[in-house]
Amino acid sequence: MNEYVPGLEGVPATKSNISFIDGEKGVLAYRGYPIEQLAEHSTFEETALLLLDGQLPVAAELAAFDAELRNNRRVKYNIAAIMKSLPATGHPMEMLQTAVASLGMFYPGSERLTGPNAWQDLDYIHGMSVKIIARMATLVAMWEHIRNGYDPIAPRTDLTYAQNFLYMMNGREPDPLIAKMFDTCLVLHAEHTINASTFAALVAGSTLATPSAVVASAVGTLFGPLHGGANERVVEMLEEIGSPEKVKLWLDAKLAAKEKIWGMGHREYKVKDPRAVILQRLVEKLAEHRGGKMSRLFDTALALEEAASARLAEKGVYPNVDYYSGILYAEMGFPTDQFTSIFAVARAAGWLAHWREQLRYNRIFRPTQMYTGEGLRHYQPITDRQ
């Protein structure tokens, strides 16, 4: 194939049985299970194990995996020391990429990947996946305290993954409803086929890089505003608009200038992102839990979605996962610049599932290019150049 396709749009880069999207019908499934069913009935722990192993676990398997996650939440003090040396003004995603990359130095084992049958070393692959997934949330929560000048709160093993993260962030046990809603958010963000960050993980994994380097590569890619960083931009956009009454004039101006409407549109979906549908309901549920009062951001978002649908639906532009996730996280009290790092906490499960799959059929990625530069030229000494 010699045709150049910008962004590799529509070009298959791998074979996978991890997740599936039907963008015309608004379907997303993990290992064949629709996201709506997993969001309602599953937990992040169960979903992560489903992604890694391919099947819904039996009770004993899930209990063992859950125990492994709980027992691997702590990180060595050296990593905290590294984090304390970083600028407090740094973005949480830059911290996270640095900290995750450092994990490989403190929890070595990269030599296990060099043999031709590395994919068969399931104990190593599973063990490293557990360590990274367990510690992603710890690192993000630690940073919230460190950057504000405080020692981080130690993780607890008597709490679920979602509960422990909220506890480490706030220093108090969370409202059970909030914890359940946050757990659902983790399920929704855990996997989404071969997006930019997952592709970055595949490319790094294909070189037999360490799993911490693989995830660090993915974290750096997720940081971009055209990928995971869009959820931050959504909240900033809604705050810029200010109120539902100002939506139409704001939208007219943005469309006339051909500027991006953050949280709207997705390369895969031609209908509303199924995750956005679930997240919108969660925001409504949270408002009901708080006495029925909708937030200013949510009211503005609803008005913008209605106005945008009237103008953009013909082009298949609808809210994506970032549109309502940012609002929900803001209502939960998370700092805006932590939204994308929370996304990364969940997506680590999907990245590591793809890493494992890549090892099974590994071939290093080495795409070609279409050269558009000069032909062969003769080198001139600098004294002869005009």
Side-chain angles (χ1 to χ4, degrees):
M1 179 178 178
N2 295 319
E3 180 184 359
Y4 168 58
V5 181
L8 299 180
E9 183 172 359
V11 178
T14 189
K15 293 181 178 181
S16 179
N17 57 25
I18 296 172
S19 64
F20 167 77
I21 294 173
D22 185 330
E24 299 291 335
K25 298 179 180 178
V27 172
L28 169 63
Y30 299 171
R31 301 289 192 180
Y33 295 98
I35 192 61
E36 293 83 359
Q37 293 182 21
L38 294 173
E40 182 177 358
H41 301 295
S42 190
T43 63
F44 177 65
E45 292 89 339
E46 182 181 67
T47 296
L49 190 54
L50 167 67
L51 291 171
L52 293 173
D53 288 355
Q55 300 293 334
L56 283 174
V58 299
E61 292 170 336
L62 179 57
F65 180 68
D66 184 29
E68 288 181 294
L69 289 175
R70 293 174 190 246
N71 292 329
N72 280 280
R73 286 173 180 165
R74 294 195 303 164
V75 299
K76 294 187 176 180
Y77 73 87
N78 313 70
I79 295 174
I82 292 173
M83 294 168 66
K84 289 179 180 180
S85 70
L86 300 175
T89 55
H91 195 283
M93 284 292 282
E94 294 174 306
M95 175 287 301
L96 187 60
Q97 186 177 34
T98 301
V100 170
S102 76
L103 289 177
M105 301 182 73
F106 296 102
Y107 306 98
S110 60
E111 70 281 355
R112 304 287 285 274
L113 296 175
T114 56
N117 296 316
W119 64 271
Q120 293 180 333
D121 194 347
L122 298 183
D123 288 340
Y124 172 74
I125 293 170
H126 177 83
M128 291 305 299
S129 297
V130 165
K131 287 180 173 63
I132 292 174
I133 293 172
R135 291 164 183 157
M136 289 285 286
T138 299
L139 295 172
V140 172
M142 286 173 63
W143 181 243
E144 189 56 33
H145 297 282
I146 289 173
R147 69 172 174 171
N148 285 297
Y150 301 101
D151 286 326
I153 296 172
R156 285 170 47 178
T157 59
D158 61 324
L159 300 174
T160 68
Y161 194 95
Q163 289 171 343
N164 180 68
F165 177 74
L166 295 174
Y167 166 74
M168 288 188 67
M169 286 287 288
N170 302 316
R172 59 182 182 274
E173 291 191 22
D175 180 317
L177 178 64
I178 301 298
K180 174 55 182 172
M181 293 173 67
F182 182 64
D183 183 78
T184 301
C185 291
L186 295 177
V187 171
L188 294 175
H189 283 97
E191 162 64 6
H192 205 240
T193 72
I194 308 300
N195 48 74
S197 58
T198 301
F199 185 55
L202 290 179
V203 174
S206 76
T207 70
L208 300 185
T210 65
S212 57
V214 168
V215 174
S217 300
V219 169
T221 308
L222 185 69
F223 185 20
L226 294 183
H227 193 6
N231 51 19
E232 295 181 37
R233 303 306 194 282
V234 169
V235 171
E236 293 168 356
M237 173 185 73
L238 296 174
E239 289 176 340
E240 176 189 331
I241 295 172
S243 67
E245 295 76 24
K246 299 178 181 179
V247 160
K248 290 187 178 180
L249 286 177
W250 181 91
L251 180 61
D252 288 343
K254 291 295 181 181
L255 293 179
K258 296 184 178 180
E259 294 183 20
K260 185 173 181 62
I261 311 301
W262 294 107
M264 290 282 180
H266 195 286
R267 185 175 290 186
E268 294 294 330
Y269 295 109
K270 305 307 177 186
V271 296
K272 190 171 181 176
D273 187 330
R275 300 167 297 174
V277 174
I278 298 170
L279 286 163
Q280 180 179 347
R281 291 173 186 159
L282 289 178
V283 179
E284 293 168 349
K285 187 175 182 180
L286 180 59
E288 181 182 350
H289 179 62
R290 293 175 173 174
K293 183 179 180 181
M294 294 290 186
S295 72
R296 176 176 54 85
L297 289 178
F298 188 48
D299 286 337
T300 304
L302 291 174
L304 179 58
E305 180 181 355
E306 182 179 1
S309 295
R311 302 283 300 275
L312 301 173
E314 291 182 354
K315 299 179 180 179
V317 177
Y318 294 91
N320 59 41
V321 68
D322 298 310
Y323 194 73
Y324 286 110
S325 64
I327 299 170
L328 184 57
Y329 289 157
E331 289 299 309
M332 287 181 172
F334 295 123
T336 303
D337 64 355
Q338 283 279 30
F339 294 173
T340 312
S341 56
I342 294 171
F343 190 157
V345 167
R347 186 54 61 84
W351 291 332
L352 288 162
H354 283 279
W355 169 64
R356 175 173 173 172
E357 191 174 63
Q358 177 67 32
L359 291 177
R360 174 68 176 83
Y361 303 102
N362 192 50
R363 183 175 176 83
I364 189 172
F365 280 93
R366 179 59 171 90
T368 188
Q369 65 172 15
M370 297 183 70
Y371 178 66
T372 59
E374 300 286 346
L376 294 176
R377 295 188 283 185
H378 182 71
Y379 180 85
Q380 292 181 317
I382 194 168
T383 54
D384 296 342
R385 298 174 202 164
Q386 300 297 321

